[in-house]
Amino acid sequence: MPKTLSPLELMTKLISFPTVSRDSNLPLIDWVEEYLNSHGITCHRFYDDKEGRIVEKAALFAHVGPQVEGGIVLSGHTDVVPVDGQPWVTDPWTVTEKDGKYFGRGTCDMKGFDAIAIWTLVEAHKRGVKRPLQIALSFDEEIGCTGAPPMIDRIMETLPKASMVIVGEPSMMQAVTGHKGGRGYLTHIKGFEVHSSILHTGVNAIMYGAKLIDWANDVNTANLAAEPTEIAAHFFPSCTTAHVGMIEGGTAHNITAKDCIFGMDFRVVPGEKPDDWRDRYLEKVREVEAMMQAVVPETRIDISEKFNVPPLMPEENGEAETLVRQITGDNASHKVSYGTEAGQFQERGYSAVICGPGDIAQAHQPNEFCTVEQFNAGHAFMEKLLERLA
């Protein structure tokens, strides 16, 4: 008989794989597939098919129970954010229990849930269930939820269509029924180099890029001051925001910068159209580009989409929300500003809800942790879910 690992043993194993988004997740996927196969569960893979990608990655999904539609999907991502430069006290790739907390990269976001989901799938297969249970483990969530859409499409082609999905992002085991959408645009300003003493004859890509960044500041100031809509009022902050988190460019302090590259990201509240924010940004880009080309005609600004994450819209009498509320007893309204793969499942016809152990405030932090209490609450939730499936 194959050994059945506990949720904690599973989390410990998953976290031992340093699946930072820039690296491959295949060692983790290989191990999970081997483990599930040892328990008689057939797994399916979807490999990263992005053009030009060198690092190999894969999603994994599986189905247990009767081969019928109407099942439940437990969805999680396998990638984590980097630990570079963070002052970790413990080894980030080893689960360390201390002061009622499990420390390690991914304990909160979100290998803790992944481990509990894997345990649940094995238990459902062993015990026998009348309603099917599926698991979906994606890649590249942390760089804009880019791995989930093709994975979901492949799941729908391969497995009986489930009716609902529980995305286990950290929510303190509360039913989160709405989140903002996200759009990200790689912005490359291509200027013209001259000596900085005659900067007016050149085009400084950084200084013109600053005009776009300042536009983002103005957008945030105006949006934060405006009266929120009824839907937006449920979020914090209660408006769409624009953000630039990374920037690079320039050669030397006395040369007008030839290049400036940054990402312009929008967190869009449900009820607003992400395309409208794209159009507003492109309008400003063309305005700044015209100013550049008035000085040097061959300069330009190139824009490419980095990610497109749809919002999770609150559902009226949603099946996923109803089930989670019945199990947790949580009847409060919860909305979040971060994006997840839940909206991507929802736009493909699944009822979707977010419910997972841990506090999002711990995600991406040095010394990331999930409390033992929260981890155990996630385990208890799955025990109740198994009773319903049976």
Side-chain angles (χ1 to χ4, degrees):
M1 291 290 291
K3 181 181 179 182
T4 301
L5 300 180
S6 69
L8 178 57
E9 290 172 324
L10 287 164
M11 179 171 68
T12 299
K13 187 64 180 181
L14 296 182
I15 286 176
S16 71
F17 296 103
T19 51
V20 176
S21 300
R22 63 178 176 241
D23 300 321
S24 174
N25 72 339
L26 290 185
L28 181 150
I29 292 296
D30 290 342
W31 184 87
V32 172
E33 182 170 26
E34 182 179 352
Y35 178 73
L36 293 178
N37 285 345
S38 74
H39 287 277
I41 299 173
T42 300
C43 298
H44 306 270
R45 292 194 187 199
F46 169 77
Y47 282 94
D48 182 5
D49 64 351
K50 299 185 185 70
E51 292 184 8
R53 288 295 295 265
I54 298 174
V55 176
E56 288 192 339
K57 301 179 183 180
L60 182 142
F61 52 95
H63 175 112
V64 300
Q67 293 292 315
V68 297
E69 296 186 349
I72 299 171
V73 183
L74 303 178
S75 170
H77 59 81
T78 61
D79 57 323
V80 296
V81 296
V83 299
D84 306 3
Q86 293 187 333
W88 281 77
V89 175
T90 64
D91 179 359
W93 311 116
T94 301
V95 174
T96 303
E97 183 179 356
K98 182 181 179 182
D99 300 328
K101 302 170 183 175
Y102 292 126
F103 291 90
R105 175 58 88 218
T107 50
C108 174
D109 185 19
M110 61 180 298
K111 290 181 178 178
F113 175 85
D114 292 346
I116 297 170
I118 293 169
W119 176 87
T120 307
L121 193 76
V122 170
E123 287 298 309
H125 184 64
K126 286 168 53 179
R127 300 180 191 184
V129 289
K130 293 183 178 178
R131 184 176 184 180
L133 183 68
Q134 298 176 0
I135 193 170
L137 301 175
S138 69
F139 58 87
D140 282 354
E141 191 275 347
E142 295 291 6
I143 59 174
C145 297
T146 59
M151 175 195 71
I152 300 169
D153 292 341
R154 186 62 57 85
I155 291 172
M156 295 175 68
E157 295 170 359
T158 309
L159 303 179
K161 175 70 182 299
S163 61
M164 59 168 283
V165 58
I166 301 172
V167 177
E169 292 281 2
S171 72
M172 298 295 288
M173 295 308 300
Q174 297 172 331
V176 172
T177 58
H179 67 61
K180 292 184 178 182
R183 283 285 182 92
Y185 300 96
L186 183 66
T187 303
H188 187 174
I189 297 96
K190 298 187 176 183
F192 187 80
E193 292 177 311
V194 298
H195 195 282
S196 61
S197 64
I198 52 170
L199 61 85
H200 65 289
T201 65
V203 172
N204 188 317
I206 292 176
M207 296 184 74
Y208 279 94
K211 295 179 184 295
L212 296 176
I213 296 172
D214 199 39
W215 172 85
N217 287 327
D218 291 341
V219 163
N220 290 336
T221 298
N223 285 357
L224 288 166
E227 186 73 21
T229 64
E230 183 177 349
I231 296 177
H234 293 283
F235 295 85
F236 181 78
S238 57
C239 62
T240 294
T241 55
H243 178 253
V244 175
M246 295 180 67
I247 187 169
E248 60 179 289
T251 304
H253 72 91
N254 58 353
I255 303 174
T256 58
K258 181 181 179 181
D259 296 284
C260 179
I261 301 172
F262 57 84
M264 180 68 73
D265 301 342
F266 297 92
R267 300 280 183 174
V268 183
V269 293
E272 294 184 4
K273 297 180 180 178
D275 285 352
D276 290 345
W277 285 102
R278 175 202 61 199
D279 294 344
R280 286 184 60 179
Y281 182 51
L282 291 179
E283 181 181 0
K284 186 64 180 181
V285 166
R286 299 286 80 89
E287 176 187 325
V288 173
E289 185 180 60
M291 296 167 62
M292 295 165 52
Q293 292 176 345
V295 180
V296 180
E298 59 264 35
T299 58
R300 68 180 192 272
I301 303 176
D302 293 338
I303 303 293
S304 59
E305 187 174 89
K306 294 191 303 176
F307 61 85
N308 179 357
V309 182
L312 174 64
M313 300 293 293
E315 301 170 5
E316 185 174 352
N317 300 318
E319 182 183 0
E321 174 187 356
T322 299
L323 175 65
V324 168
R325 292 194 186 284
Q326 288 173 346
I327 294 176
T328 63
D330 172 32
N331 291 314
S333 175
H334 306 285
K335 311 292 189 298
V336 295
S337 293
Y338 58 83
T340 77
E341 297 168 340
Q344 294 168 327
F345 276 96
Q346 188 182 63
E347 71 177 3
R348 284 163 173 78
Y350 294 84
S351 176
V353 68
I354 301 166
C355 185
D359 187 343
I360 192 64
Q362 301 306 322
H364 303 183
Q365 297 294 311
N367 306 308
E368 176 184 345
F369 68 83
C370 177
T371 65
V372 174
E373 180 183 19
Q374 273 291 299
F375 188 74
N376 290 341
H379 185 190
F381 175 95
M382 293 302 178
E383 282 283 13
K384 294 178 181 178
L385 177 62
L386 286 168
E387 292 174 5
R388 290 173 178 271
L389 292 172

